[in-house]
Structures are given as C-alpha cells and as structure tokens.
Amino acid sequence: MNDEQINFTMTVLRPAYMLYRETQVFKLTPSQNVELGELYKEINGRPMPMCSTCVVEGVLSLVIRAESLQQAQIATDEQKPKRKRK
C-alpha cells in the first residue's frame, strides 16, 4: 500500500467501519465505493466479494493492514541512523 491508499483507508474506511460497528449499517459514497473496489483488487488480486459480510471483512482487513503499515512507518521514522564502524 502506498501513502495515498493508507490515507484513504484511515480517513474514509476506518470511520465508516467504526460507524458500522455501532449501527450495523455500512455506507460509502459511490466514488468511495469505486475506490474501495480498486484498492481491494490491487491488494488482494481479486474483485471485492458481493456478500455483505465479506465486504465488511474485506474492509476490516484493509484497515488492519493500513494501521500496521502506518505504525511501521512511524517506527522507521523514529529510529536513529546507525553509525558506521571503523
């Protein structure tokens, strides 16, 4: 996932998933839905499944992947550069 995809996942999909957990209604705009389908296909290599449970599980897996990649980026940014040995 690149930074743009991580940003989309964290700013659009994660809040929609959190709202789904509270209300049991998962709702995206048509353009967000298209972007979700493209992202899912690029990451998993197959189109987004059509059953509602599979869609929610797919979104959750994308959110988890984006969170872990974001944490890995933060960790590598905070590491001190290693000194060269003589």
Side-chain angles (χ1 to χ4, degrees):
M1 290 178 100
N2 59 30
D3 290 337
E4 183 179 317
Q5 293 169 333
I6 292 172
N7 188 32
F8 171 75
T9 304
M10 297 306 289
T11 59
V12 175
L13 296 181
R14 188 170 189 271
Y17 179 76
M18 294 305 191
L19 185 62
Y20 165 79
R21 287 179 53 185
E22 294 174 12
T23 63
Q24 296 297 306
V25 176
F26 187 75
K27 193 171 188 178
L28 295 174
T29 65
S31 62
Q32 291 171 339
N33 195 22
V34 168
E35 193 169 346
L36 169 61
E38 291 171 357
L39 175 63
Y40 186 89
K41 188 171 184 176
E42 184 179 328
I43 298 297
N44 295 318
R46 61 184 183 274
M48 182 72 118
M50 291 296 127
C51 73
S52 59
T53 305
C54 299
V55 170
V56 171
E57 287 177 358
V59 168
L60 178 59
S61 71
L62 290 174
V63 168
I64 291 170
R65 180 174 288 175
E67 286 176 347
S68 65
L69 289 173
Q70 193 174 43
Q71 291 297 325
Q73 280 182 339
I74 291 171
T76 55
D77 290 344
E78 291 176 352
Q79 288 179 351
K80 296 178 182 176
K82 295 182 179 180
R83 295 187 301 167
K84 293 182 181 178
R85 289 187 173 186
K86 294 184 178 182

